[in-house]
Amino acid sequence: RTGERPMRKMDAKAGTRHYKHLLLTDPRIFPIFPQMKLSMKDLEMNVRFYVALLMLLVSASSYSSTAKDDEPPLFYWDARPRLGFSNFGDDLSSSIVEKILGRPVLKVTGITPGKKKFLAVGSIINYAEEGDIIWGSGVNGKCMDPSDYRFKTLDVRAVRGPLSRQFLLTLGVPCPEIYGDPTLLLPILFPEFEKREKEVYDYIVIPHFSDEKLFANTPNMVSVKEEWQTVVKKILTSKFVISSALSGIIVAEAFGI
């Protein structure tokens, strides 16, 4: 539904068994794993999804549990200077990374010439520069001209989906077949957010911020300008989500809505 499927196909039985074992028994891989509380039954039913999440988490290991002087800052797209509001999907990036690490990270919202940065949630690869780290980011469909890009090489750990990977390959940038928007990790990283047993709304509409004027009088409209926690809670109280904001769709998919 998003155009980019958020999971990597895992068909090798041996590899699947190996990753299932790591998910359940080896917290050294990433400190968040002991909090996952997954049963073997859960894994048998959803093994490809959980394996993809494991690979996504492991691919973020350029950061450590303690801050370093040379740590790359986290870049995220900040709408406030130009548009006067925050966009919930972009705000998710720092919350997810900081939750994984258990500590704050240095954040930047602009170009950093000569200094490597780390890009996660969002269609923000066009903001990458030479040598930057990419973890689950995607290509912006409005920026498909190679001249929009200022890099020849990147440190790509994962991309949002195969369309983003294919675009990077056309630019000559090596890119692994590891797919996943980090937003998919929300149910694991923030277990306090749970799907309601009884929904409040039959549906909600989440327009992209550029579409909001078109839906001003639409019942059950949810604005992406609200805090990300508020938007997620509204998604979790709805039976169905209609969204032109990609993050709205991905959050709904992550929670099985």
Side-chain angles (χ1 to χ4, degrees), residues 191-210:
E192 63 269 28
F193 292 106
E194 294 183 314
K195 189 176 175 182
R196 286 276 192 95
E197 289 187 13
K198 187 174 182 180
E199 294 88 351
V200 176
Y201 307 105
D202 286 330
Y203 70 92
I204 57 173
V205 178
I206 310 176
H208 187 272
F209 64 80
S210 62

Side-chain angles (χ1 to χ4, degrees), residues 14-145:
T16 295
R17 286 196 300 271
H18 174 64
Y19 284 119
K20 286 195 309 187
H21 172 75
L22 292 178
L23 273 167
L24 288 173
T25 65
D26 195 343
R28 296 172 299 171
I29 295 177
F30 226 77
I32 197 67
F33 288 160
Q35 303 173 33
M36 293 175 71
K37 299 179 182 178
L38 303 176
S39 68
M40 183 58 74
K41 182 179 179 181
D42 291 331
L43 288 167
E44 292 292 350
M45 293 174 62
N46 304 289
V47 62
R48 290 182 183 175
F49 180 65
Y50 287 124
V51 166
L53 294 187
L54 169 68
M55 297 175 70
L56 193 58
L57 283 167
V58 171
S59 69
S61 60
S62 60
Y63 276 109
S64 66
S65 58
T66 57
K68 297 179 179 179
D69 291 339
D70 60 348
E71 179 176 280
L74 174 70
F75 172 87
Y76 74 102
W77 188 74
D78 186 359
R80 287 173 297 181
R82 187 163 62 92
L83 301 175
F85 59 83
S86 293
N87 179 37
F88 101 96
D90 296 297
D91 285 349
L92 280 167
S93 195
S94 59
S95 296
I96 288 171
V97 172
E98 290 181 345
K99 185 71 171 183
I100 290 174
L101 296 177
R103 62 172 175 82
V105 295
L106 177 65
K107 294 177 280 288
V108 294
T109 59
I111 303 302
T112 56
K115 182 174 177 59
K116 183 186 294 187
K117 60 186 182 294
F118 182 84
L119 292 77
V121 176
S123 303
I124 55 175
I125 290 180
N126 54 302
Y127 290 98
E129 298 172 280
E130 189 70 17
D132 281 354
I133 300 167
I134 306 296
W135 181 62
S137 311
V139 170
N140 188 326
K142 298 177 183 178
C143 302
M144 302 301 290
D145 188 329

Side-chain angles (χ1 to χ4, degrees), residues 164-188:
S164 294
R165 177 177 182 265
Q166 185 57 47
F167 183 78
L168 288 178
L169 293 177
T170 63
L171 295 181
V173 176
C175 183
E177 289 185 86
I178 301 178
Y179 306 133
D181 189 299
T183 305
L184 290 170
L185 300 172
L186 275 180
I188 293 173

